[in-house]
Amino acid sequence: MRHILIAEDDPHITSFVTRGLRAAGYETTEATDGETALLLARSGAFDLVLLDIGLPRIDGFAVLSHLRGEGVTVPVIVLTARDSVIDTVRGLEGGANDYVTKPFQFAELLARVRLRIGDGEQRTPGAVLSHGDLSVDVRGRRVTVAGEAKDLTSREFALLEVFLQHPDQVLSRDQLIGHVWGYDFDPASNVVDVYVRSLRSKIGADRIETVRGAGYRLL
């Protein structure tokens, strides 16, 4: 199992990213300050580091500088609320492999993680996701049910894509919000229930099961 270090001092973001990565099949370890992140990243135990710039003690730029100066080549994806060109260039020239600006949707982060790790799970651009007689052409953004085309909104499509990536698995509302709407979306919102209801009306009500107290599952 691939092991990812999450170096982030915001517990909300750490929890959101940890849940999503574990649901995607990764092992995770968390560090809440730069000194701990540097110590762990040096160990060689990780396949990738998600590195926040604004860490306490020493910031992410310093962590990255130490790692690359010591010849540590672990892939690093920088997570930061800073979106200026100067910060982006500084991160990439400092040895980061990628750069994701907060707020972000988990689906985007996961795609970048898989790209940098070289994960065999990464979908090719023309991938088709299928489950029974339900099929989604990811690149063409086409959905068919028993051979019949269905017209979905962009959010409905994104929600269905997440379900198809995790068939027969219970996904919590928080996980679905993280994947489709992003971690900054209000977790108290009923947006997931609204979109599940809408999706059921288009692909069949019996295809998505409500698991009381837990979330939803694609059958």
Side-chain angles (χ1 to χ4, degrees):
M1 181 182 294
R2 300 300 187 106
H3 196 174
I4 297 174
L5 174 63
I6 304 169
E8 168 64 61
D9 65 331
D10 184 325
H12 179 52
I13 298 175
T14 299
S15 175
F16 158 71
V17 173
T18 296
R19 290 197 308 270
L21 289 175
R22 289 182 178 175
Y26 297 100
E27 182 180 357
T28 63
T29 295
E30 295 79 41
T32 57
D33 64 81
E35 289 182 359
T36 303
L38 180 58
L39 180 65
L40 290 172
R42 283 170 169 160
S43 70
F46 299 94
D47 298 287
L48 182 137
V49 177
L50 297 178
L51 180 64
D52 178 42
I53 290 302
L55 291 172
R57 297 190 181 178
I58 60 173
D59 68 18
F61 288 131
V63 172
L64 187 58
S65 177
H66 282 297
L67 290 176
R68 295 310 189 228
E70 296 167 12
V72 179
T73 59
V74 60
V76 174
I77 297 176
V78 170
L79 304 178
T80 181
R82 307 179 191 181
D83 57 359
S84 73
V85 173
I86 292 174
D87 283 331
T88 301
V89 171
R90 183 179 175 188
L92 294 175
E93 288 188 344
N97 300 88
D98 211 338
Y99 198 98
V100 179
T101 302
K102 305 171 188 174
F104 53 84
Q105 290 190 5
F106 182 76
E108 176 191 359
L109 177 64
L110 182 60
R112 292 174 184 271
V113 166
R114 287 175 169 167
L115 176 64
R116 297 304 165 186
I117 288 181
D119 197 326
E121 294 181 57
Q122 184 185 357
R123 298 192 310 273
T124 58
V128 174
L129 302 176
S130 301
H131 186 64
D133 61 0
L134 178 61
S135 179
V136 170
D137 178 344
V138 176
R139 184 175 183 181
R141 301 190 69 78
R142 289 185 291 269
V143 177
T144 58
V145 177
E148 181 181 350
K150 300 293 180 179
D151 185 20
L152 271 59
T153 67
S154 59
R155 292 290 193 190
E156 290 167 348
F157 187 94
L159 183 60
L160 180 58
E161 186 178 356
V162 173
F163 277 124
L164 283 166
Q165 289 168 347
H166 307 279
D168 300 313
Q169 178 181 331
V170 177
L171 298 173
S172 71
R173 287 172 176 80
D174 283 350
Q175 285 176 305
L176 292 170
I177 284 176
H179 279 285
V180 178
W181 286 271
Y183 72 84
D184 60 327
F185 201 87
D186 181 5
S189 169
N190 69 340
V191 66
V192 172
D193 308 287
V194 170
Y195 273 85
V196 166
R197 184 163 59 247
S198 177
L199 192 55
R200 281 171 168 162
S201 72
K202 296 182 178 182
I203 69 170
D206 59 344
R207 294 178 184 272
I208 301 176
E209 176 188 21
T210 300
V211 181
R212 188 176 298 276
Y216 295 101
R217 173 168 51 204
L218 180 68
L219 300 175

